[in-house]
Structures are given as structure tokens and as C-alpha cells.
Amino acid sequence: MHTRRNFVTALAAAGAGSLLARRSAAQTPPRRIDIHQHFVSPGFLAALTAKNAATPIPGLAAWKGFSPARAVETLDRVGVQTAMLSITAPGVWFGDVQEARTLAREMNDYAAARMVGDHKGRFGLFAVLPLPDVDGSLREIEYAFDTLKADGVGVLTSYGSAWLGDPTFAPVMAELNRRKAVVYTHPTDAMCCQGLIPRVANQTLEYPTDTTRTIFSLVVSETAAKNPDVQFIFSHAGGTLTAVAGRLLGAEMTADNLAKAAAPNTRLYQLRRFFYDTAGSANPVNMTALKTLVPPSQILFGTDAPFFDGAPQVQGLQRAGFTPDELRAIDRDNALRLIPRLSA
């Protein structure tokens, strides 16, 4: 009887310990990596504010009160270990070469010192380039990687009437390929397509469409195939890509092809080697379509902070049809393949 009582007591203690362990695990903040987060330096914010007086800058209000410390508070609230910093539209190009170079350098120095440097382990940097200035961009790539030790570069989907597969940008792509660089892309509204539909903001329709345009540009021009060591990341689940992928892939877009590994150097192969983030797309419709086209290994967690709150997106992603293993990979593991230093 005494032995049985000891056994029951031990069993109860073990059960309580297991419950406490589960509760502890549930309360431990997930170590997510946010691949899509924006920042602004004081000098760049001053420049945007000045330009806003003549031409409204969309989203300028989001930078009110921005600081690295407030960004860290958001990371903690959402359960993010590290956020990768990048520029958003309109970028640093306003038609003046020297201005763009100066603003890009100021943004990169600020991010490296005041965010990555001052908050160890909380931020990484996708360096700003002064595109479409090719010579200035090549110099900034050298500075960003060799001096600042940036994790990659951040670019817009288009500049004027040129998308990333445009021959003008070939020297930049070749250098990024030589460095095996991560290239994060953020949408903008192309010169062709601004204010087309009354009461529909460009960010609502033109941004996701421009992401798809630049993906098509990279694939059709064979820029992606010629630069196989560039790791491209596209925002917002690839924009409208899943809706029009059949038009790009043609006969490749069959159930049999989608169920197996893509043949090397096909268009489907290129789409499946690209990475796509979940910002603004953490719902069953977008995610089901995306993981039908590309494997979950190519999907990265992103929030688009400070423009969008990451917490609802975390919840949405958890109900978007992924398995626990897939969610773990999207939250963290896929990003670590791209940027191994974040595992430290």
C-alpha cells in the first residue's frame, strides 16, 4: 500500500511537472525572425518631410515618434527575436544622384550604428541602395558588405519605368550574385500606374501588382537564371503572382508538375527558388495559394512594421492551414538558412 501510494504520488508529481513544462513552453516568446520591417533615419525623415510639402509622401505619418527603442518594444510584444530592416517606398531616389547617394549612406550608417549596433541581436540590415544610380549602388554595395557587414540589400520593385530584370541593372545584379547576396524587394507604384482607379490607393492594388511585374521581369529576361546565387525575397506573398502564375508558366502549370520538384532552369524552378514573405497576407486564401505554387521552405515571416501590427498577423498565420513544423520553419528556420548568423 505504501509502495502504491508512493507510485501515485510520483505519477502525480510527474504529471504536474509535465503540465508546468508545457505552460512554460507556451509562455516562452517565440523566437521569430521578421524579414519585413522598416526604419527611418532622422536625416531621411527630414528629407521626406520637406518633400511632403510639395508632393504628399504616403505613409509619412507612420514615422511619427519612431525610435529604435519603440521598435524593440514592438518586437517583444509580437514575439520577434530579430527584425531585418529595409527601406520602403518611395526610397531615396528623387531624381538627384548625389542626394540619393547621401540619403542611402545616411540610412545605412544609422541602421548599422543605432539599431543593429546598439541593440545586439534584435536587428539585421538589408542595406539601402541609391538605384537607379548603378555606379553609386555598386559603391554602396561594397561599403555595406565590407564595412557595415550588412546581411543583404533592400531594393524597390521598380525605378521609373524599369523593373529589376532591366538590362540597366545587370552590373548590380552581377555584383550581388558574386557576393551571393540576399536581395529583399519592396513594392512601389510604378510610373505607369499611379492613381488609375479613384478611391483605390496605389498601395492597395499597384504595390502587389508591381511585385509581380518585377518577378516576371527577372524570370522572362533570364536575369534570375544568370544570377543563381542571388537570394531574392518578395513581399506580401509575391503580390498577385499566384493569380497569374499560369500565364507565366504556361504548360508548366499542371497538377503533376506542381506535385514534384521543378526541372532545373525552368520558370517554375525560378519561382520556387525565390522567397516570399507573409506580410499582409497571413490568411488562408493567400497562404494556401502560395504553398501550392512554392514549398513552405520558401515562405518567411514578415510584418511590414511599423505600418502594420504584427500580432494579428501571427494569429492569422496560425490559422492559415500550416502544420506546426511548417509554422516553425516560416517563423524562424527558413530565415536562418538565408542568414545563418541569426542563429547565434
Side-chain angles (χ1 to χ4, degrees):
M1 188 72 171
H2 178 71
T3 302
R4 186 174 186 277
R5 186 166 58 247
N6 289 347
F7 172 75
V8 172
T9 301
L11 186 63
S18 176
L19 178 61
L20 287 172
R22 289 197 299 272
R23 285 178 178 172
S24 177
Q27 291 167 359
T28 300
R31 302 177 69 202
R32 295 185 181 90
I33 296 171
D34 183 356
I35 212 75
H36 183 160
Q37 188 157 145
H38 302 302
F39 76 105
V40 67
S41 65
F44 186 46
L45 180 56
L48 290 178
T49 302
K51 293 178 185 301
N52 187 64
T55 304
I57 302 291
L60 187 60
W63 297 121
K64 184 178 181 180
F66 174 82
S67 71
R70 288 188 64 176
V72 170
E73 290 175 2
T74 299
L75 301 189
D76 293 339
R77 177 174 58 80
V78 177
V80 171
Q81 173 192 314
T82 304
M84 304 305 300
L85 302 170
S86 60
I87 196 167
T88 184
V92 297
W93 178 260
F94 299 96
D96 183 280
V97 169
Q98 190 53 53
E99 178 189 47
R101 293 180 183 184
T102 299
L103 291 174
R105 180 63 56 91
E106 204 256 352
M107 282 280 279
N108 291 332
D109 283 343
Y110 176 82
R114 297 290 172 251
M115 300 193 75
V116 179
D118 288 351
H119 302 273
K120 298 296 185 184
R122 306 313 304 272
F123 299 105
L125 174 60
F126 292 147
V128 181
L129 300 184
L131 284 173
D133 170 20
V134 170
D135 289 341
S137 294
L138 290 172
R139 284 195 286 272
E140 199 62 24
I141 288 169
E142 180 180 15
Y143 178 73
F145 283 105
D146 296 344
T147 300
L148 299 183
K149 308 302 179 186
D151 297 294
V153 300
V155 299
L156 300 182
T157 49
S158 63
Y159 296 89
S161 298
W163 287 266
L164 296 179
D166 191 280
T168 304
F169 304 137
V172 173
M173 292 297 168
E175 176 60 12
L176 292 169
N177 188 68
R178 185 184 74 82
R179 290 178 177 268
K180 296 179 170 53
V182 176
V183 176
Y184 180 82
T185 71
H186 192 277
T188 187
D189 43 357
M191 185 182 296
C192 66
C193 307
Q194 299 188 16
L196 296 181
I197 304 176
R199 300 172 64 187
V200 177
N202 289 345
Q203 296 95 319
T204 301
L205 183 58
E206 295 310 319
Y207 276 33
T209 302
D210 212 57
T211 294
T212 305
R213 289 191 187 103
T214 215
I215 292 172
F216 273 48
S217 170
L218 288 165
V219 172
V220 172
S221 69
E222 299 187 350
T223 298
K226 293 172 184 174
N227 298 282
D229 291 326
V230 176
Q231 302 290 338
F232 289 102
I233 304 171
F234 298 100
S235 304
H236 309 297
T240 58
L241 176 63
T242 54
V244 296
R247 295 176 180 267
L248 175 66
L249 298 177
E252 293 182 54
M253 189 74 154
T254 67
D256 288 341
N257 274 346
L258 293 175
K260 62 186 180 183
N265 297 322
T266 60
R267 290 182 173 183
L268 180 58
Y269 175 86
Q270 297 302 333
L271 294 186
R272 286 186 161 179
R273 80 172 182 86
F274 297 156
F275 289 82
Y276 307 85
D277 79 36
T278 65
S281 307
N283 61 74
V285 173
N286 288 123
M287 292 295 102
T288 299
L290 183 61
K291 76 172 186 175
T292 302
L293 181 62
V294 308
S297 63
Q298 305 308 110
I299 304 175
L300 305 166
F301 176 74
T303 66
D304 206 354
F307 297 94
F308 293 93
D309 186 357
Q313 299 186 67
V314 169
Q315 296 168 6
L317 199 58
Q318 291 169 344
R319 303 185 65 184
F322 293 109
T323 68
D325 286 344
E326 289 171 341
L327 276 175
R328 191 178 307 110
I330 292 167
D331 279 345
R332 178 177 175 83
D333 294 346
N334 294 341
L336 292 182
R337 289 175 22 236
L338 276 176
I339 312 170
R341 77 159 187 87
L342 299 181
S343 63

